[in-house]
Amino acid sequence: MLSNVDVEKNDFKISIIPQEENEESSFHNPSNFDNSKPPHNGKEITELIVSPDSSYIVTFSSDDSSIAGWPVYENEFGELNYDTECKSENIMQILQMSNNRNVLIKVSKPTLFQKSTYKIIELNPNGKNNIYFVNGNPNIDKGTFVAGTNDLFMVFGVEAVAHLYSNSTGEWKIKKTFKLEILKSNYSISRHNILRLGYFITPEKLFITYGGCNILSQWDIATMTFEKQYFLNVEFDNLHPSNAVKSSLQNNPIIVEQQILFNESKTLMAIYGFSTYNVEHQVVIYSTRSCIRILSAIMDYEAYSVLRLNFFGTNKFDEGLLVRERGIFFVEPSYGFYDLKSDDDANDAHIDIGQLFIHQPDNSNVEAILNKNYNNSVVCCSNGKIIHYDIDKNQLDKCQEDLKLQYRSRPSRIYLLKKIKELFKSIKEKKFSFTQKSYIVHKTNIRWKVFHYSGTGSTHIIAYEGKKKLSDYKFFEPRTGYIYACRPVYNGDLIMITKRGIKIFTFHTNNKKIQMCYFWDNDGWNESWKRSEQLTSDFNLAENNENKEERFFGESAEKELSEMDLLPPLNLERILDEYETSYVSDHERRFIFKELLANYLEDVTTLAEIGEEVLKIAIKKNKGNIVDLVYELVMDYIKKDSGIYMSLLSIITTSLSQLQEHYPEIVKNYMSRTSLILDHDCVEITVSELPPFFGFARDQQIFENNNFYKIYSKIKTFYCNIHDVISSLFSLFGKKSRHKIQNYGRPAVILVVPLPKFASYNTQYNFLKDFIIPESNGFIEQEYHDLYKRWNGEALLHFKWHTFGKYYYYTLWAIFTVFLLIYAIAFTLSENILPENDKRLLLIMVILFGAHQLIVEIRQFIWRPHYYFKDVWNLFDLGACFFPIATSIYWIHFGYNPPKWTISFSILLLYFKFTLFLRIFESYGRYFAIIIGVAYRVFSFLMILFIIIISFAHAFYIILRTQDNLDDSSLNHPTVNNDPNNPWNLADQYYATNPDGTLNPNSNPAFVKQPDENTNMFAWPQTALLAMYILLTGDSSPLQSWTYIKEPFMALLAVLFSFFTVIYLMNLFIGLLSNVIEDYNDRVSYLVQKAKILAEIELFYLLPPQRRWRTWFPDWIYYEAPVDDVRKKIRNIDDHEEDSEFPPIICTKLRNLLDLPKPTDEKDLSNQINIIQDFLEKEFHEFKNEFKH
């Protein structure tokens, strides 16, 4: 049902009211402000918050019930001075502050329904502060000051309303009002029957979800547009923002503390949650680029102890998270995925960071990290004072390196670029003739030996651990002077600047081989490489060298890198071009670029970030093997059921239309193997409250409460009332009741339609451009027959149809019905019944109705001209609006009816189009699908038949045409000649009889029937073609004017046409139709047709903003599948009875829910035995070799 969560009928308006000076209040500003006195009367500071620009600090003392403000100046350290103070016994907590010193606080307000409310304190120097009252319940409602504007943004959870307040005029006024909508058909709302909103708010972003939904949606507060989504793991329940609201609403003694924060470059987002229920500190870090969870930790600390999280960073590319209390320091988690679910795991990530805080007093109790312009400093509270001190950048870098060594992770891209720049500098300073070098990395005990042989141009590197040889690598392009410079880095990797480009090598512990882990060059470097010969003399690298052939290949690259702060990512275009390039050494062939790409994509965070780009480039370059690589990597994560696969599926679905065009077998494979994907948040069997395979979404839509929204709300309410009335009428029938009993209340599991971003639209758009030429998506671009063979496709169409499709479709049908009736009445009723003025009014209405439809048809043609004419139904739509408009304009302009055939044809087209509206119903839609499907399939046969008919028509025309050209006057005036094909000679002739009853053969006929155009249909080419069609139907009347004895060749042609065309081809055509009908007489063809109808509605009847509504076009769609149906399907798959070339992936979690054990697979068992056998043989050989030595 198209309805949002119920709110009050009247708009929910909240005012921010200033406190008058004479108004009785518990807030007091000091009459004579003196900052020489101890702040907070010397009492302990219990809370501290920092402005977004780190220029001001506000402190709160619960013992003194006072607030103080402290300006902070960059690079000025030591004890700070406060410049204002405010006191009230009602202050409970300081929450947020803006850059212009507005502070949002929580104050006590004992009432029947809530115990606290909000106030704003406008802090001014010397204690002259302004107080404002703000309605709202701090336990449920939240607010923040918007970055850039310092407006106040408040979300009111119970009312599902948000307000944006502005103080630009000196008075707080409501600037905008927003309302939250969630479909009532939504599973979670239906099940819980209430909306329990949960949200995080930062000065820039709003993160919103609700109870029962584990999708956290990110919205930009400034523009109120949707940006992205994150998946909240069910294992980390302390992080779900609705749990804190639930605890407050139920007056639960359980305390839930939550925090969300970003690093300075906004590339990482951390969510922290603590609950006294499980006494767990839970931390999850997401990459904001890929929205994937890249680090998680669960730590058991003492109860009621809340951690303080802060990101540290030395520059805009640095990424790190500091959990202060236990000294746990996570650095650059985007290089790998970690789950630290216990104290043992957390201790592995622990390093000593005490040197970072050597200036902090021992008795400090509250602190905050300031990261202004990437200069880290700390403010802490000690004995009622605020102390500001700096953090040593060198110590911070050392801590980062120490932690990375524990993980053996790759160095940061900043660090690598720094080392590469140093190598470039060393290259330019001297003529470099590389022969042999040895490098040792003391921190990892890794030693590299690098050899280059100028005689052969070959290069050789060896890696050692201590004295033990790990591996060697000889797969380099042969060039004299190939190596410019080398240098190892702290984790044991080796940087090489070569003629081919920048290469970084690492020892891969999994396969015990040296492998290239990074490669980069630019176009200039690549062109120099291509022009170089295999063997050349050593290059003179001096800058004054005039021989361009021998200059440093990376000269242009050096200039390019000098302008960068971060090592550029892999050059994917180059790697894919060189993907099949192989190198041979010691009878071993290796594809180094293939290995490089495979190693990169093995890391899930890298796969999530570049997988989509790799797939698009691979499709563009027709690299089917790379397409298979990316696809199989994504499928592997589904098989592992790691919970992270839902963030990876968009890699496939964003390129689904291109895959359907170039690699349809992969699309077929994907649709089949992902047809039983369990919702990762489904942990138990539920009781169905929706029809089977009824799609629903978990997204929310935020509307600005403007005139458009008010009109939309009224229209929506009107449709909902009609829907309720119709539902009530249908419920009176027993059949409907039985249907409800059969489909509701059944055990079900929640499955997911594995097509993220497949049916949604980009939120960045131009209204006018998108209205004229709408942006499409994967759902629009292609016809996916394999999708609609499965429950996923049915759920997708159900969702679209019941969310918006049926309302628009029935409205269009009703409008067209009125259009048809008006036109039929105007041209059917006589002038005696319908006066001229009334007819003119009706025809004007016809023009208006038809013009609306004609505009839609023109937009469809502009959008995809070739696609428009490809669909034959569009021709009916075009004719059904064009001809009625043309005939109506004709009558209005000339004052009399147009030719009757135009009116007749218009009426015919209008009835045809009216009939087409029945396509949406399955009982009718199947036949329409058969009609159009069969027409497409037999079109080639019909063309052959048409050509044959034309050939026979032409042949008959040659032998049966008249000697003289005929016109209308020839048929009106008798013409007597010797032409046997003259219509006057072929017409019926009547003779007078002799008295004895005989005929005189030499006498003239007494009467001759005047011939017409049908007497000799072969006298004209156009009627000859019509005559052949009549003969095709078995009617020989076009040839009855001739005798077969006198015209033997005509008789031969008639026999040939009758046998070859009428008997043979027509019977063949009937048999062909029978076979083709069987192909299209299925539900899939109907669903594909329904998908086209829905696509037309959303592209050409919805406005561009409507196509961005998250409740209508979500990234993810879910559906309930009855347990019995799922069990039956899985059993059929296990027994190999399912008619599918690619069996679906069935996760262990789904089998456990349904109590269906995984069947024993002889092939898997054989593979496991072979793996064990290979392992034992390998271990035996290693033991044997060690024993010999």
Side-chain angles (χ1 to χ4, degrees), residues 908-934:
L908 184 65
L909 288 175
L910 287 171
Y911 275 103
F912 277 168
K913 181 170 173 58
F914 180 84
T915 308
L916 290 179
F917 277 99
L918 297 172
R919 287 180 297 166
I920 204 66
F921 305 109
E922 185 173 357
S923 55
Y924 299 94
R926 282 176 176 257
Y927 298 112
F928 282 102
I930 291 173
I931 291 171
I932 194 66
V934 170

Side-chain angles (χ1 to χ4, degrees), residues 85 245 283 327 535 674 694 732 752 768 810 818 1002 1131:
E85 194 172 23
V245 176
V283 180
L535 296 176
T674 60
F694 191 97
L732 298 176
V752 61
L768 183 61
Y810 292 144
V818 173
N1002 296 322
R1131 284 199 185 100

Side-chain angles (χ1 to χ4, degrees), residues 161-423:
V161 171
H163 291 281
L164 184 66
Y165 301 92
S166 175
N167 191 28
S168 58
T169 61
E171 179 182 356
W172 286 101
K173 292 183 178 180
I174 295 179
K175 187 177 181 180
K176 291 181 180 179
T177 300
F178 302 95
K179 293 193 175 183
L180 174 71
E181 178 179 287
I182 298 176
L183 298 180
K184 278 189 175 179
S185 61
N186 185 303
Y187 161 78
S188 300
I189 298 301
S190 172
R191 187 164 305 285
H192 297 285
N193 202 27
I194 61 170
L195 173 64
R196 191 175 73 247
L197 284 179
Y199 37 84
F200 301 114
I201 301 181
T202 71
E204 297 175 345
K205 309 297 179 184
L206 168 65
F207 298 86
I208 191 163
T209 183
Y210 53 87
C213 172
N214 285 306
I215 294 179
L216 187 67
S217 299
Q218 175 180 316
W219 293 73
D220 182 79
I221 293 179
T223 60
M224 201 48 69
T225 55
F226 169 83
E227 291 184 331
K228 58 190 70 173
Q229 290 178 332
Y230 303 88
F231 287 97
L232 297 173
N233 198 304
V234 291
E235 299 177 6
F236 298 90
D237 52 345
N238 290 355
L239 305 180
H240 201 291
S242 69
N243 290 338
V245 176
K246 178 182 178 181
S247 177
S248 301
L249 287 174
Q250 297 177 351
N251 294 321
N252 200 317
I254 296 174
I255 298 175
V256 179
E257 296 284 348
Q258 295 170 334
Q259 180 186 0
I260 187 170
L261 68 158
F262 290 84
N263 66 339
E264 191 70 16
S265 60
K266 301 296 186 294
T267 56
L268 294 179
M269 179 184 75
I271 304 177
Y272 162 75
F274 169 75
S275 172
T276 57
Y277 174 74
N278 53 22
V279 198
E280 281 186 352
H281 298 264
Q282 301 173 355
V283 180
V284 172
I285 301 180
Y286 294 89
S287 167
T288 58
R289 290 186 287 256
S290 61
C291 300
I292 197 170
R293 176 169 58 95
I294 56 178
L295 186 144
S296 59
I298 297 177
M299 296 160 283
D300 299 327
Y301 292 165
E302 61 274 11
Y304 303 104
S305 173
V306 179
L307 298 182
R308 293 188 295 275
L309 275 66
N310 292 280
F311 276 104
F312 268 51
T314 55
N315 53 60
K316 63 182 179 180
F317 304 109
D318 196 14
E319 301 171 352
L321 175 70
L322 171 68
V323 184
R324 178 69 178 92
E325 266 77 353
R326 291 285 293 270
I328 298 175
F329 190 40
F330 302 111
V331 181
E332 305 227 21
S334 61
Y335 278 119
F337 178 82
Y338 305 114
D339 270 316
L340 310 176
K341 297 184 179 180
S342 67
D343 272 345
D344 293 335
D345 293 333
N347 287 331
D348 292 338
H350 178 272
I351 60 172
D352 182 13
I353 58 173
Q355 291 297 318
L356 296 177
F357 304 95
I358 56 176
H359 301 293
Q360 181 167 328
D362 295 334
N363 59 350
S364 63
N365 61 332
V366 179
E367 68 178 24
I369 307 296
L370 305 184
N371 192 355
K372 187 174 183 180
N373 298 325
Y374 308 103
N375 294 320
N376 296 288
S377 61
V378 178
V379 290
C380 63
C381 306
S382 178
N383 298 325
K385 300 178 181 179
I386 297 295
I387 300 172
H388 181 209
Y389 65 91
D390 192 18
I391 289 181
D392 189 287
K393 182 178 179 181
N394 294 328
Q395 286 293 335
L396 182 59
D397 290 339
K398 182 178 182 300
C399 290
Q400 291 176 330
E401 285 192 16
D402 290 343
L403 184 73
K404 290 174 186 177
L405 287 175
Q406 292 188 19
Y407 286 108
R408 290 294 301 275
S409 63
R410 303 172 198 163
S412 70
R413 289 161 64 187
I414 306 168
Y415 175 86
L416 291 173
L417 181 61
K418 178 182 176 182
K419 297 301 178 184
I420 290 171
K421 287 181 178 179
E422 292 174 0
L423 288 176

